Amino acid sequence: MRIATWNVNSITARLPRLLAWLESSGTDVVCLQETKCTLEQFPAEALREAGYESAVNATGRWNGVALLSRVGLADVVTGLPEGPEYEGVREPRAVAATCGPVRVWSVYVPNGREVAHDHYAYKLRWLEALRKAVAPDAAGALPFAVLGDYNIAPTDEDVWDPSLFEGATHVTPAERHALAALRAEGLSDVVPRPLKYDRPYTYWDYRQLGFPKNRGMRIDLVYGNAPFAAAVEDSYVDREERKGKGASDHAPVVVDLGL
């Protein structure tokens, strides 16, 4: 079984690439983030024709998450139970479902903007709500994983130059502590192979030749419980999908399971 997570940075803009990648990669379950569309705009019919059911949490703007599955889609949960609001809005940042033999969450963690910004405090509250929401599934017997764009680099090795991020979001002790608290629920970090270079970065800024110079970050993560981790046979960053015209600034993270 093949599972992937990918911040597509607009599913409507990236739909031709997504459909081509689904066909070539043979992926069974895909967690998408930053769909940037409303429910009405989501291309469910095109994906259905490609063989995938969809579970979507989207309201437009710059957020939105989805789950695509060709192995079944059951027990869907849209949004975080008791998740925090930001400026009076509960943003569409999480969706969960059981897809064949696995239970998965697709999550798009708030960016945080700046440490002194209200969005940073919101990010920490959101991560705590995520921890509480996934705890029952993490402790269950079913293979389970939380996949997505976490907007946090777990360690300094996951950033191309840590000195440039001092005092900035994505690398602060509080954010990393929140990740550690999530892992403490019985989850482990499924670290992918990089395929090229020595670090498995998943995101490269569009600016200043970030991708060609490999100035990246590993912020798209797969956190799986013990049954999920035990089934992992391989994992890699498909950096080919970051290449070329019209690419997202993130690459898919792919996990192969012996299920």
Side-chain angles (χ1 to χ4, degrees):
M1 183 177 188
R2 176 164 285 181
I3 297 179
T5 182
W6 191 3
N7 179 322
V8 290
N9 191 10
S10 175
I11 193 169
T12 53
R14 236 64 67 184
L15 183 59
R17 289 187 72 124
L18 173 61
L19 291 172
W21 183 80
L22 290 172
E23 182 176 4
S24 65
S25 68
T27 305
D28 298 299
V29 179
V30 185
C31 300
L32 299 177
Q33 301 86 41
E34 206 170 350
T35 56
K36 292 184 176 178
C37 68
T38 64
L39 285 175
E40 294 75 20
Q41 294 168 330
F42 189 86
E45 185 56 35
L47 291 163
R48 188 177 298 111
E49 291 177 358
Y52 292 84
E53 299 177 81
S54 304
V56 185
N57 186 8
T59 58
R61 303 179 74 187
W62 56 84
N63 299 315
V65 290
L67 278 169
L68 313 181
S69 174
R70 64 178 187 179
V71 294
L73 201 60
D75 302 322
V76 174
V77 174
T78 302
L80 286 184
E82 302 180 10
E85 295 182 349
Y86 183 70
E87 295 183 341
V89 176
R90 185 162 291 174
E91 298 177 321
R93 293 183 174 274
V95 63
T98 300
C99 304
V102 302
R103 179 81 177 162
V104 295
W105 280 79
S106 175
V107 300
Y108 181 35
V109 176
N111 177 283
R113 300 180 188 174
E114 298 175 356
V115 173
H117 200 285
D118 288 345
H119 207 258
Y120 178 80
Y122 162 63
K123 180 179 190 175
L124 298 179
R125 293 195 303 272
W126 197 94
L127 285 162
E128 174 61 11
L130 176 65
R131 183 192 67 78
K132 292 178 179 178
V134 306
D137 285 329
L142 199 68
F144 167 74
V146 190
L147 306 91
D149 179 356
Y150 280 73
N151 272 313
I152 304 170
T155 72
D156 281 353
E157 290 188 350
D158 297 307
V159 182
W160 72 276
D161 186 348
S163 67
L164 298 179
F165 290 83
E166 291 182 7
T169 60
H170 291 57
V171 300
T172 65
E175 291 167 293
R176 289 175 172 173
H177 177 77
L179 283 186
L182 181 62
R183 292 193 299 269
E185 295 296 336
L187 302 174
S188 59
D189 188 353
V190 179
V191 180
R193 295 185 291 116
L195 295 190
K196 185 177 181 180
Y197 302 111
D198 61 344
R199 295 301 306 164
Y201 298 142
T202 64
Y203 163 83
W204 300 260
D205 199 299
Y206 286 130
R207 299 168 295 181
Q208 299 178 338
L209 299 175
F211 183 66
K213 294 182 178 180
N214 200 37
R215 295 175 174 175
M217 304 176 73
R218 186 173 76 94
I219 57 176
D220 301 87
L221 310 175
V222 177
Y223 279 2
N225 69 356
F228 184 95
V232 173
E233 296 183 337
D234 192 16
S235 182
Y236 61 92
V237 180
D238 189 354
R239 72 188 309 278
E240 292 297 310
E241 282 303 315
R242 179 59 178 81
K243 295 180 178 179
K245 185 178 180 180
S248 170
D249 45 2
H250 295 250
V253 178
V254 180
V255 181
D256 287 333
L257 302 172
L259 297 173

